[in-house]
Amino acid sequence: NGLSGVEARAGKVLQDALGGRPLNISPSQVPGVNRTLGDATRDAGVAALERNARRLNPEVFSQIDDANNAARVSALQQIAGDEATMARAVKAREAAAGPFYRAASEATVPVDQPLQEALTRVPARVIAKARGLAKMEGIDFGEAAQGISGQQLHYIKMAIDDALSRTGPGGLGNVERRALMGWKDERVSNMSRLIPEYAQGMQAYTAASPKISRMQVGQELMARTAANQTDALGNPIISPAKFASSTRPRMLDTITQKATGFNQAKAAQTLTPEQMQTLGAIRDDMQRQMFRQANAAQPGSATKEAIEISKKMARQEFLGKFGKVGRVANVAIDAFNNEGRKSVDYMVAQIIANPSEAERILKALTPKQRSEVVNALSRMGGTAGGTSSPLFQAWQTNEGQ
């Protein structure tokens, strides 16, 4: 079947870890990510085997872990963009909406009785905030006597947006919030009707904002989910726990609101369907990693049991052929455990890091290679030796006599 002794033995270790369950491999949906076997199967036995393999041969997994992390970071960066991309998008939005807003700011709306009544309903602190915003930009807010400018109304709208975004102590009560939102909607509608340039500016601003909002969400996620370390390629390492927590639906909406400054923002309405799928795919990867790292299976219980079985079988063979030669048997067993185990350890790590190899080896196992003796020698969960080990060779020699 083309398998070496070490491959066959490592395949049997994997077969025993599966405990009769099929090897169901689920590939990642993140481009460039190649899941390890524990993550790809989400099988408790295989996950335990992978933890053991990572402990014994961590170098086998370092490159694939770095490559997978890089692929996930790249997928996130496609959403987040970079500083230069964000700067260009903001500049483009200003170029599109700015001329209309500047024209609207110079227009004046007569203060008739309905508008006067509307202005009296605005909380004094909101008007004070509007004056403060204007002052910070070097603009005299002025008084609304016979007319009010589009510029004044715009600063009032900005002050209302700020008031609505505040939560917790100092924030608005629910009744006041609803009333202020209603006033804002009414005034924006009237401003758009009375000052056409303002409506055009809003349309231009709104049309240019989604790309910026998506990048803002992506950047906030990058900042929240990165561990405080980088991988060998220089990429920030994505924390499985942080990412899984941050992409829960309600939390993702909260992050979207914080990132965009829009209190009513929803992730599913801000991000594209493809971007939501990307986050879901990365989240699936992260949840599988968490399962593999923390599931309750104990790596080592099967190993200890298999070592005892193989020792007993070896002693029976030696005693049956040569009588009481316990010291010789123990020497052979010790040599087996010290010399041969590393080859299968390494092969187990290799096939766990490469699920396609695991499939190939499992399919190639013959009935003979599934025999009880080989089963006992290879059930060590990554600690048994290959056919070159002294114990296995001694068993074969004695079997042939």
Side-chain angles (χ1 to χ4, degrees), residues 3 42 70 84 89 96 102 202 228 238 241 244 255 281 285 301 366 371 397:
L3 292 183
R42 202 168 186 173
R102 285 190 288 273
M202 283 190 63
N228 296 323
I238 299 175
I255 289 173
D285 281 359
S301 57
T366 67
S371 67
T397 299

Side-chain angles (χ1 to χ4, degrees), residues 76 99 124 134 138 140 151 182 203 210 219 246 254 256 281 285 289 294 321 323 345 368 378 383:
L76 268 182
D140 182 14
Q151 188 177 61
Q203 290 172 357
Q219 290 175 3
S246 296
T254 299
T256 300
D285 281 359
Q289 281 192 28
K321 301 294 183 183
D345 283 346
K368 181 179 179 181
S378 61
T383 63

Side-chain angles (χ1 to χ4, degrees), residues 336-359:
F336 170 78
N337 286 329
N338 292 329
E339 175 188 317
R341 63 183 291 180
K342 293 181 181 179
S343 59
V344 174
D345 283 346
Y346 193 74
M347 181 56 66
V348 167
Q350 290 284 347
I351 66 175
I352 285 175
N354 189 347
S356 62
E357 278 295 282
E359 289 182 307

Side-chain angles (χ1 to χ4, degrees), residues 300-312:
S301 57
T303 298
K304 293 176 182 178
E305 176 191 18
I307 288 174
E308 291 305 315
I309 291 173
S310 65
K311 284 184 177 181
K312 288 179 181 179

Side-chain angles (χ1 to χ4, degrees), residues 119 122 126-127 130 141 148 151-161 183:
L119 290 171
V122 181
V126 172
I127 296 296
F141 185 79
I148 186 169
Q151 188 177 61
Q152 288 171 312
L153 287 172
H154 184 63
Y155 279 118
I156 293 174
K157 175 185 174 296
M158 290 174 64
I160 291 173
D161 287 340
W183 191 95

Side-chain angles (χ1 to χ4, degrees), residues 229-381:
Q229 56 183 325
T230 57
D231 60 23
L233 302 176
N235 294 304
I237 296 176
I238 299 175
S239 163
K242 287 182 179 180
F243 195 91
S245 174
S246 296
T247 50
R248 287 185 290 111
R250 291 184 64 180
M251 178 57 71
L252 190 56
D253 284 344
T254 299
I255 289 173
T256 300
Q257 292 159 13
K258 180 180 184 298
T260 62
F262 178 40
N263 198 47
Q264 304 301 313
K266 301 293 183 183
Q269 297 169 358
T270 303
L271 301 174
T272 67
E274 293 76 16
Q275 289 172 335
M276 290 293 291
Q277 288 175 3
T278 294
L279 296 184
I282 299 175
R283 177 181 169 83
D284 185 33
D285 281 359
M286 298 294 97
Q287 289 178 320
R288 287 170 179 270
Q289 281 192 28
M290 291 169 66
F291 175 85
R292 183 247 300 164
Q293 292 167 351
N295 87 72
Q298 295 297 317
S301 57
T303 298
K304 293 176 182 178
E305 176 191 18
I307 288 174
E308 291 305 315
I309 291 173
S310 65
K311 284 184 177 181
K312 288 179 181 179
M313 292 185 68
R315 287 193 179 95
Q316 288 172 0
E317 292 297 332
F318 275 100
L319 290 174
K321 301 294 183 183
F322 306 110
K324 295 183 178 180
V325 289
R327 186 184 66 81
V328 176
N330 283 332
V331 169
I333 291 168
D334 289 342
F336 170 78
N337 286 329
N338 292 329
E339 175 188 317
R341 63 183 291 180
K342 293 181 181 179
S343 59
V344 174
D345 283 346
Y346 193 74
M347 181 56 66
V348 167
Q350 290 284 347
I351 66 175
I352 285 175
N354 189 347
S356 62
E357 278 295 282
E359 289 182 307
R360 178 184 71 84
I361 289 173
L362 284 184
K363 288 178 181 178
L365 287 176
T366 67
K368 181 179 179 181
Q369 288 165 333
R370 297 188 182 100
S371 67
E372 288 300 320
V373 174
V374 176
N375 178 49
L377 291 173
S378 61
R379 278 193 60 218
M380 296 184 181

Side-chain angles (χ1 to χ4, degrees), residues 76 79-87 212-225 255 259:
L76 268 182
I79 300 174
D82 54 29
E83 291 184 6
T85 305
M86 176 68 83
I212 295 172
S213 297
R214 292 193 290 267
M215 286 191 287
Q216 289 171 328
V217 175
Q219 290 175 3
E220 183 69 17
L221 273 174
M222 289 284 290
R224 282 176 176 253
T225 62
I255 289 173

